[in-house]
Amino acid sequence: MKLRTRSTAIIGTICLTASLALTAASADEPAAPRHAAKIALTNVATAKNPTAGAAGPSGSLWIAERAGTVRILDGKGLSTPVLDISAETTTDGERGLLGIAFDKRFAHFYISFTDLEGTSTVDEFAVRHGRIQPHTRRTVLTQTQPYANHNGGDIKFGPDGYLYIALGDGGSGGDPHGNGQNLDTLLGKLLRIDPRGGTPYAIPPDNPFVNDPDARDEIWAYGLRNPWRFSFDAGTGDLLIGDVGQNDWEEIDWAPARSKGGENYGWSQMEGTHPFRGGTEPANHVPPIHEYDRTNLGCSVTGGYVYRGKAIPALKGQYVFSDYCDGTVRSLQLKNGKVTGVNDLVVNGGEIISFAQGGSGELYVLAIGGGVFRIDPA
């Protein structure tokens, strides 16, 4: 995670430094079109260190706050907490309440957080009539973290109905334990599980490594450093991952909806399309669809969503993202998994830690300082 301010080191020296120099990102990167969508950021609420959002029942938007609270956004602003686990989590390093998700029927609510020992934890609650049922809480998955950074923590349900869980490489710097390329650990991976199919969960039978005795069955994709935010395109089902780089390159990875999983995104042999510290590119490396270097103000990619709302027709089908340190909202024009244009949308949300997608497809920007902004037409 990328919880850092310019005045205080919320993420520490080994975490994420990068630049949003999109004009210098890659020699073969397409030039930005002359006419980008015109947008504005409308401040709709102020939260306490918001980290994640999820579309909830009846068109609501639920917002997670880093210390362990969850609030509901409506026309009047944010509610009082509907969930509070602040006594069970810690906010040192890059820890805290890092992800939330509903299943497709809004029957269960999931939280992803680091507990008091720093262990990555995914818990489940039943939901009745739009309300969390605290007595139904159960732990679905845990993963010990060797360091306080690169926890990942994002969770999403895919179009297939399974729960996807992003975990970083375990932290420190340079992947000292080699977790990114090690299929015998959940660290540095995107996982895919069926949380209701077993105790505490089941493995989807078509996961890519279920027949490999040397690999964890939960793994969907690997070679990730810190996949802080990922999403599925609500229009196509394609997967997009914003993977935070080490020192030089930030990357956005893509997989088509028809993917059978097993993608190797290269870390720690590769940082973007570049060998990392003399690494050798794996034969099965899936390079990013977009990367940018750190020659300007950026430090840590904040993955977002492909816009599928109705308010901004000119933005439809574009992947909206930002960088924690740069704060500029940008978009990628995509065609068949290729970037055909890079747009500066000429708005800045400050230290953008996350994006959220409402039930109608409209997008929201979350700034770690507290701002919750809706992306509106200018």
Side-chain angles (χ1 to χ4, degrees):
M1 158 180 167
K2 322 170 295 300
L3 301 178
R4 178 179 108 163
T5 66
R6 294 181 178 87
S7 58
T8 60
I10 299 178
I11 36 189
T13 58
I14 54 178
C15 93
L16 332 163
T17 26
S19 160
L20 210 47
L22 287 166
T23 56
S26 161
D28 58 355
E29 181 179 280
R34 293 183 178 182
H35 302 290
K38 295 181 179 180
I39 69 168
L41 298 182
T42 302
N43 191 343
V44 295
T46 299
K48 187 175 181 181
N49 303 135
T51 51
S58 303
S60 60
L61 183 68
W62 293 40
I63 301 293
E65 297 173 316
R66 187 186 180 204
T69 47
V70 178
R71 303 174 189 267
I72 300 175
L73 178 66
D74 59 23
K76 299 178 182 179
L78 288 171
S79 70
T80 57
V82 295
L83 181 68
D84 186 349
I85 62 160
S86 55
E88 305 172 45
T89 191
T90 177
T91 57
D92 65 311
E94 297 173 27
R95 295 168 170 165
L97 177 56
L98 306 179
I100 57 175
F102 284 93
D103 63 15
K104 289 186 176 298
R105 296 186 298 124
F106 302 109
H108 297 91
F109 180 64
Y110 296 82
I111 60 174
S112 172
F113 67 100
T114 49
D115 69 12
L116 295 175
E117 285 72 45
T119 297
S120 290
T121 305
V122 176
D123 280 2
E124 174 196 89
F125 297 83
V127 178
R128 300 289 182 270
H129 306 295
R131 295 175 179 265
I132 292 173
Q133 306 298 302
H135 67 280
T136 65
R137 183 179 181 180
R138 71 181 185 95
T139 294
V140 176
L141 181 143
T142 62
Q143 171 61 50
T144 302
Q145 293 284 354
Y147 303 99
N149 61 332
H150 303 185
N151 293 164
D154 201 9
I155 52 176
K156 296 281 192 305
F157 276 88
D160 52 17
Y162 293 127
L163 180 63
Y164 290 72
I165 303 167
L167 292 175
D169 65 6
S172 187
D175 194 10
H177 302 293
N179 291 326
Q181 294 295 308
N182 181 4
L183 292 175
D184 194 32
T185 176
L186 301 183
L187 295 172
K189 311 298 189 297
L190 184 66
L191 314 180
R192 180 184 186 241
I193 65 170
D194 179 358
R196 301 294 300 166
T199 305
Y201 58 86
I203 303 295
D206 58 346
N207 269 13
F209 299 106
V210 291
N211 295 318
D212 186 341
D214 298 320
R216 293 291 299 267
D217 293 346
E218 297 91 338
I219 297 171
W220 180 254
Y222 66 109
L224 295 162
R225 181 179 178 272
N226 191 26
W228 167 243
R229 287 291 172 255
F230 70 94
S231 65
F232 292 93
D233 182 343
T236 66
D238 297 342
L239 169 68
L240 293 113
I241 306 170
D243 193 19
V244 178
Q246 176 76 31
N247 293 318
D248 298 315
W249 296 94
E250 300 298 306
E251 70 180 82
I252 294 170
D253 300 306
W254 176 88
R258 65 180 182 276
S259 169
K260 302 301 182 182
E263 286 86 0
N264 179 3
Y265 293 112
W267 179 255
S268 59
Q269 292 297 303
M270 305 292 290
E271 185 179 7
T273 61
H274 311 269
F276 178 73
R277 294 180 181 173
T280 300
E281 183 174 15
N284 62 343
H285 178 220
V286 178
I289 61 166
H290 181 67
E291 64 179 6
Y292 59 90
D293 65 23
R294 298 182 170 194
T295 56
N296 287 339
L297 299 176
C299 76
S300 175
V301 64
T302 300
Y305 291 84
V306 173
Y307 180 74
R308 295 296 177 185
K310 296 181 179 179
I312 314 170
L315 193 60
K316 186 176 181 179
Q318 297 183 37
Y319 178 70
V320 180
F321 71 104
S322 187
D323 183 287
Y324 177 75
C325 290
D326 176 85
T328 301
V329 180
R330 302 179 188 268
S331 70
L332 302 180
Q333 293 181 205
L334 303 172
K335 184 176 182 180
N336 299 323
K338 303 292 184 182
V339 175
T340 60
V342 183
N343 298 316
D344 182 338
L345 299 180
V346 202
V347 294
N348 192 294
E351 292 166 325
I352 296 178
I353 197 72
S354 192
F355 289 82
Q357 185 178 52
S360 64
E362 302 304 330
L363 299 185
Y364 295 78
V365 170
L366 308 182
I368 193 60
V372 179
F373 305 94
R374 188 178 59 240
I375 298 180
D376 288 335

